[in-house]
Amino acid sequence: MKLVLNPQIPPDQEAGIQTMLAQDGCVTRTITDNGSRVIGIIKKGTRNPDKYQDIPGIDRVLPVSTAHKLVSREFQSEDSRVAINNVVVGGDRIVVIAGPCAVESLDQAMTIAKQVRRYGAVLFRAGAYKPRSSPYSFQGLEEEGLKILAQVREETGLGVVTEMTSPDQAPLMEKYVDAVQIGARNMQNFELLKCVGKMGKPVVLKRGLAATIQEWLMSAEYIAAGGNTDIILCERGIRTFEPYTRNTLDLSAIPVLKQLTHLPIVIDPSHATGIREKVSPMARAAVAAGADALMIEVHHDPDHALSDGPQSLYPEQFGRLMRDIYTIAPVVGKQLDFDYLKKTALIHELDEKASRTAAFIGEFGAYSHKAAQAYFGDDITPVPMKEFTDIFAAVAAGRAEYGVIPLENSLSGSIHENFDLLQEYDLKIIGDITIRIQHALIAHKGAAKEQITQVLAPPPALAQCRNYLAQYPWMSRVPVGATSRAVKQVKDSGDKTCAAIASTMAAEIFDMEILDESIEDNPRNFTRFAVIAKEFKGRKKVAKTSIIFSTGNKPGALFEVMKVFNTYGINLVKLESRPIHGKPWEYMFYADLEADILHKDLASMKQSLEENTETFRVLGRY
Ligand code: PEP
Ligand code: MN
């Protein structure tokens, strides 16, 4: 049973309801879900719960029909996000936890941690207490191992996750690590579950070797009932009759869990398969199936590993897998962010006066809003703006810390206005992000496709859905400025014969109905956004540089510039020409290079570029 309170409820009225429930003998937990306070009654009191319906401040009394309550999707509809230090599991970013099976020595742990960090892992895993099938196998370094983990965090900045096998380890875990893991063999060790339920650390709860999803969720419920809701579910393979792999990875658990629970899901393909060659294919599949995170065993010398060597990836293999994940993630609306740790550090260093906002174009639910969220996570607040120039002006004036602007779409090409604005304003590109554009046809609740006579969308979106719209000749196309604005306009009009083309996120935000999803003609529809700021901050390693330059109006002028790139073996990933304001037939060139042009080793190249151009400016390094 849950009580959904009125979103405008004053705090003293809510407190009154809580007191009444306590007096009735109810045991409750309160959350905020979709903007409303929700009280879950986990143990009924003396009063018939239906009676709560009449109490002022309570909007609805709804049943929670599943056996698991606090962790159920019925209780909390929004996805949970679990923070391990600065890293958030759940949401748009794929989190990768990597490291050896066990801590073997300081040197071993540090070597592997540095390698996995270099390749993009954001959390480190390694066991100090190892539950082994044989009492004669290596049992772990115990407290010494935990101390090593704390040192790894100190030196690398990676949060550390380790297995806890007994309640008496709780004080040491609190002291040394950032998250605890309940191993498969302990999934139903209820005393251990009760213990971690009282701890102040996030818990990675592995699925038992022969546990059903229901049993697994009930174990999670034990932890939540104890008061700790920072739970991440880890599928690590279950026992089946199949001997070709150590276990059978149940990837179908992902969509099943996504429906049953709000908790984030991590997939461990290492223990699932037990065989190195099988790890990467299953990791890729896990991301495609909707996993929030991966846990991968990596060892620099697996032949001499004290446990699970045969399933541990070599660091370089792990690096290749990370590149695959980076490519796959946008297809399912997520990102593998190689800059995640740097970014969180940067955001935490922002001074108090900083606005902590990112300006984007359109209304909430715009693709630019999605891009801002995917780039920054929840650390920065996205702020809508009417025009692209408003974004540049806000960043230049310090009213917004960052701006997120679309630069190019894989189908409809460049957004020229932004190239012009980059030329006009002295701002810097500090990062970029590519997201998949999946359009939906959105209308009022209860509207039917047959009734729709007008479809509002910006011209590129209409063009991207041409084949889809051709099926409905009775729908006329109305061009508007932005997708999210189209949804707002349809909403405000109250007209059930109008629809908009926009993201499903916009439909949710405006509480509208999705008539059709994925209506773009070509599914390979991606938009690249640039993140702009006043200054370059805190970047040590730079992979790309964006420059803008002009050449004299003489034969071979551009060729001379291209020759410089050729001489230095620099890969050019984009070249775009734009007319110069007020100088007909003269052009500026915008280029992206795979190099850090400000690096001292390329000083002579920069000089040659300056010599061969009339104007030259570095727009961005990221
Ligand atoms: C581990 O993660 O090293 C481990 C022992 O996992 P599991 O409990 O899944 O076997
Ligand atoms: Mn292991």
Side-chain angles (χ1 to χ4, degrees), residues 181-182 204-208 216 232-237 257 264-268 295:
Q181 175 178 317
I182 299 296
V204 176
L205 177 64
K206 287 202 157 192
R207 180 177 183 179
W216 186 14
I232 302 163
L233 297 169
C234 178
E235 161 63 37
R236 44 78 73 205
L257 288 169
I265 304 164
V266 55
I267 295 293
D268 169 354
M295 181 185 268

Side-chain angles (χ1 to χ4, degrees), residues 163-373:
E163 180 165 353
M164 171 167 157
T165 54
S166 151
D168 22 292
Q169 293 154 8
L172 291 179
M173 295 287 163
E174 294 275 10
K175 182 166 170 197
Y176 293 116
V177 303
D178 303 297
V180 295
Q181 175 178 317
I182 299 296
R185 288 152 199 84
N186 275 319
M187 189 204 83
Q188 284 186 318
N189 180 338
F190 298 112
E191 292 314 310
L192 191 56
L193 297 177
K194 285 183 207 166
C195 173
V196 296
K198 300 250 167 314
M199 283 174 67
K201 298 280 175 193
V203 181
V204 176
L205 177 64
K206 287 202 157 192
R207 180 177 183 179
L209 274 73
T212 63
I213 289 176
Q214 189 56 50
E215 288 162 341
W216 186 14
L217 289 171
M218 290 317 290
S219 291
E221 189 74 15
Y222 259 94
I223 303 171
N228 186 354
T229 49
D230 286 338
I231 307 162
I232 302 163
L233 297 169
C234 178
E235 161 63 37
R236 44 78 73 205
I238 47 176
R239 259 305 149 77
T240 68
F241 45 79
E242 179 52 65
Y244 273 105
T245 47
R246 182 172 171 183
N247 293 289
T248 296
L249 180 61
D250 181 11
L251 283 183
S252 57
I254 300 173
V256 172
L257 288 169
K258 285 284 170 200
Q259 193 187 355
L260 291 174
T261 178
H262 50 83
L263 298 177
I265 304 164
V266 55
I267 295 293
D268 169 354
S270 307
H271 293 89
T273 61
I275 306 159
R276 184 174 305 125
E277 296 72 47
K278 312 284 183 276
V279 170
S280 293
M282 296 323 287
R284 294 191 292 256
V287 170
D292 298 292
L294 294 171
M295 181 185 268
I296 313 268
E297 283 190 347
V298 178
H299 202 293
H300 64 302
D301 184 11
D303 288 346
H304 297 101
L306 296 182
S307 62
D308 285 348
Q311 69 194 32
S312 298
L313 296 187
Y314 289 96
E316 301 70 29
Q317 242 175 341
F318 174 69
R320 283 195 294 278
L321 170 63
M322 293 295 275
R323 290 170 65 91
D324 290 348
I325 302 295
Y326 174 80
T327 314
I328 294 168
V331 175
V332 288
K334 299 197 178 176
Q335 306 291 329
L336 180 81
D337 187 349
F338 287 114
D339 279 339
Y340 192 178
L341 293 178
K342 272 192 232 160
K343 231 179 261 173
T344 51
L346 206 79
I347 288 165
H348 282 86
E349 280 163 21
L350 281 181
D351 63 37
E352 270 157 31
K353 288 198 284 324
S355 66
R356 290 179 187 271
T357 53
F360 69 90
I361 192 152
E363 305 286 340
F364 289 109
Y367 292 103
S368 296
H369 177 201
K370 240 179 150 169
Q373 225 171 37

